[in-house]
Amino acid sequence: MDKPYRKNVGMVVFNSKGEVLVGERLNFKGSWQFPQGGIDDGEDPNSAARRELLEEVGIQNAEIIYEYPSWINYDFPESLHLSSNLKKYRGQTQKWYLLYWDGKAEDCDLTAHEQEFERVRFIPFQECLSTVVSFKLDVYQKLVQEFEPKILDFMKKGPST
């Protein structure tokens, strides 16, 4: 039987300069990615996104601007050393959110929960394509294509506050 995909949320957080927040994973030095995490049983993706953002980077006042219209799947590569709770999955199916937050990378609390990132920084959106692990590159290309125009629109209009 084929293994199922694990339900997961991903968050692309951008600031007033249009840059996006990426974190360097503790277990993958030199690899930077967007915050993401599993959806708990009975939890809706929107709530999971807010919870994971708080747990991974300590952000609680980000504004959800847009939700990717469909779920995006990726497979775990054979070479990946998975934690035991992920071994039962073939990969992840992700609901992605675009969020606006005008804080500074140094304001992030990386130890709010179990620490996953060594450090975080804001970078130009396109740069994430060269910093992410190769097996997530397709996902990130879709995100840049879908979210970049939304960021540019938002920047033209400014925050709703």
Side-chain angles (χ1 to χ4, degrees), residues 13-17 19 21 57-59 61 101-110 120-122:
V13 176
F14 71 98
N15 63 15
S16 60
K17 295 187 194 121
E19 298 167 327
L21 185 73
V57 291
I59 296 175
N61 56 345
W101 179 69
D102 205 24
K104 296 179 178 63
E106 47 275 15
D107 297 338
C108 289
D109 177 4
L110 305 184
V120 292
R121 63 180 177 169
F122 279 100

Side-chain angles (χ1 to χ4, degrees), residues 5 11 27 32 34 38 49 62 74 77 85-86 101 118 141 146 154 157 159:
Y5 283 102
M11 292 73 64
N27 54 346
W32 296 76
F34 299 124
Y74 73 87
N85 65 329
L86 290 181
W101 179 69
E118 178 76 34
Q141 284 169 330
E146 184 76 19
F154 183 89
K157 294 179 191 135

Side-chain angles (χ1 to χ4, degrees), residues 26-42:
L26 285 174
N27 54 346
F28 287 103
K29 294 278 192 267
S31 165
W32 296 76
Q33 69 169 51
F34 299 124
Q36 63 172 59
I39 300 174
D40 294 339
D41 286 340

Side-chain angles (χ1 to χ4, degrees), residues 42-60:
E43 188 177 34
D44 70 277
N46 192 305
S47 306
R50 293 198 173 282
R51 177 183 52 75
E52 282 292 339
L53 200 58
L54 182 60
E55 287 179 4
E56 293 201 355
V57 291
I59 296 175
Q60 46 191 334

Side-chain angles (χ1 to χ4, degrees), residues 24-154:
E24 184 180 28
R25 301 249 347 186
L26 285 174
N27 54 346
F28 287 103
K29 294 278 192 267
S31 165
W32 296 76
Q33 69 169 51
F34 299 124
Q36 63 172 59
I39 300 174
D40 294 339
D41 286 340
E43 188 177 34
D44 70 277
N46 192 305
S47 306
R50 293 198 173 282
R51 177 183 52 75
E52 282 292 339
L53 200 58
L54 182 60
E55 287 179 4
E56 293 201 355
V57 291
I59 296 175
Q60 46 191 334
N61 56 345
E63 179 187 353
I64 294 181
I65 301 302
Y66 183 73
E67 180 181 322
Y68 196 87
S70 56
W71 293 79
I72 306 175
N73 296 347
Y74 73 87
D75 291 348
F76 295 132
E78 293 291 318
S79 59
L80 194 64
H81 297 294
L82 296 170
S83 58
S84 54
N85 65 329
L86 290 181
K87 281 191 172 48
K88 59 182 179 263
Y89 299 105
R90 86 184 247 197
Q92 308 212 78
T93 183
Q94 299 181 301
K95 184 50 115 164
W96 281 91
Y97 292 89
L98 179 64
L99 302 101
Y100 174 73
W101 179 69
D102 205 24
K104 296 179 178 63
E106 47 275 15
D107 297 338
C108 289
D109 177 4
L110 305 184
T111 56
H113 191 60
E114 261 169 62
Q115 187 169 355
E116 296 193 30
F117 294 125
E118 178 76 34
R119 55 203 169 115
V120 292
R121 63 180 177 169
F122 279 100
I123 61 170
F125 204 169
Q126 293 282 342
E127 250 179 60
C128 74
L129 299 176
S130 56
T131 63
V132 70
V133 290
S134 58
F135 63 89
K136 291 182 185 173
L137 183 58
D138 284 356
V139 174
Y140 279 45
Q141 284 169 330
K142 288 181 175 123
L143 295 174
V144 168
Q145 192 178 357
E146 184 76 19
F147 285 174
E148 198 161 47
K150 307 285 185 250
I151 291 175
L152 296 172
D153 282 352
F154 183 89

